[in-house]
Amino acid sequence: MDRFAEPVRRAFLLLAALAPLGGCALADVGSGPAPSLYVLTAPAVEPAPGAPQSQVQLVVEEFSAPAAVDTTRIVFMQSENQIAYYAGARWSDRSPRMIASLLVETLAGTGSFPAVIGPGTSARMDQALVGDIRSFSAYRPSDAGIGEGGTKVRVELFVRLLRARDRTILASRTFSAEASSAGGMEGVVAAYDQALDVVLTDIAAWTLEQSLAAGEGS
């Protein structure tokens, strides 16, 4: 056999084997309409005249989350032991990254810190906010009526303020809030927005209080 024939034959067989897989992938991509993408917004927190100012530079790290929540899919808890997702709807980013970005925006909006940055920075910061996403889901209370109007959203974050240089925990606290949906997917997203706004606003006030108590650079 010609010494070039065997490599050519193997390449042809490999391409033949991959062709059906490529066809399935393309068919899958075009098999349904693209999902609607939704974003959440940071609460409108403005600097209060005469409010105390921290000299701490703060980094917000991406919060940890269960695999079922660490996704762009919008969670609906059918029961305490069963997780589902809304069909045809997605967040514009993974939930932990979206929450971290909104928390940075909220803290920066207070004007109480000289610098607030998000995860992935190499800059030397004084303190860090880390935590866990314990709940970020819609659910239907057991006494709710028929229809989307009975849906509620619960947001619960466990937050820790760390001294950045040695990761010592300076303070920790759980923040939670719930909001009711007015109905429809837009109503569910609005309830997510409302509950998260309360949590982020409370975290911002608490972070300033704990940062001032710990002192510059801790």
Side-chain angles (χ1 to χ4, degrees):
M1 181 182 293
D2 184 79
R3 64 191 181 92
F4 295 108
E6 182 61 19
V8 171
R9 186 179 72 85
R10 290 178 179 174
F12 176 79
L13 291 175
L14 178 62
L15 289 173
L18 290 176
L21 297 177
C24 289
L26 290 174
D28 184 63
V29 169
S31 61
S36 298
L37 296 182
Y38 293 92
V39 298
L40 298 180
T41 57
V45 179
E46 297 183 359
Q53 301 290 306
S54 173
Q55 298 306 308
V56 166
Q57 297 190 108
L58 189 66
V59 58
V60 177
E61 299 182 4
E62 189 173 300
F63 285 17
S64 63
V69 177
D70 189 2
T71 176
T72 60
R73 305 187 74 178
I74 302 176
V75 178
F76 178 82
M77 296 293 297
Q78 292 184 313
S79 70
E80 290 184 359
N81 301 313
Q82 187 174 8
I83 296 173
Y85 300 95
Y86 285 98
R90 299 286 191 277
W91 298 124
S92 62
D93 204 345
R94 291 172 36 252
S95 297
R97 189 157 51 191
M98 178 173 60
I99 290 173
S101 176
L102 292 172
L103 183 51
V104 169
E105 187 177 345
T106 303
L107 289 161
T110 66
S112 299
F113 299 91
V116 183
I117 57 177
T121 179
S122 58
R124 293 180 61 86
M125 307 301 284
D126 301 313
Q127 294 174 1
L129 274 180
V130 302
D132 310 310
I133 301 174
R134 293 185 170 174
S135 181
F136 191 65
S137 59
Y139 74 98
R140 188 182 303 280
S142 57
D143 59 349
I146 303 300
E148 290 287 357
T151 300
K152 289 189 173 183
V153 168
R154 178 171 177 79
V155 175
E156 181 175 323
L157 306 180
F158 176 63
V159 181
R160 296 181 294 275
L161 181 66
L162 308 181
R163 184 166 56 204
R165 67 173 181 269
D166 60 6
R167 310 295 287 181
T168 296
I169 298 176
L170 303 173
S172 63
R173 182 178 158 185
T174 298
F175 298 86
S176 64
E178 292 193 356
S180 298
S181 166
M185 197 63 230
E186 286 74 16
V188 171
V189 172
Y192 267 98
D193 220 4
Q194 183 180 344
L196 186 60
D197 274 7
V198 172
V199 169
L200 295 182
T201 301
D202 290 347
I203 291 175
W206 174 83
T207 301
L208 176 59
E209 178 184 340
Q210 298 303 319
S211 177
L212 291 170
E216 182 178 357
S218 303

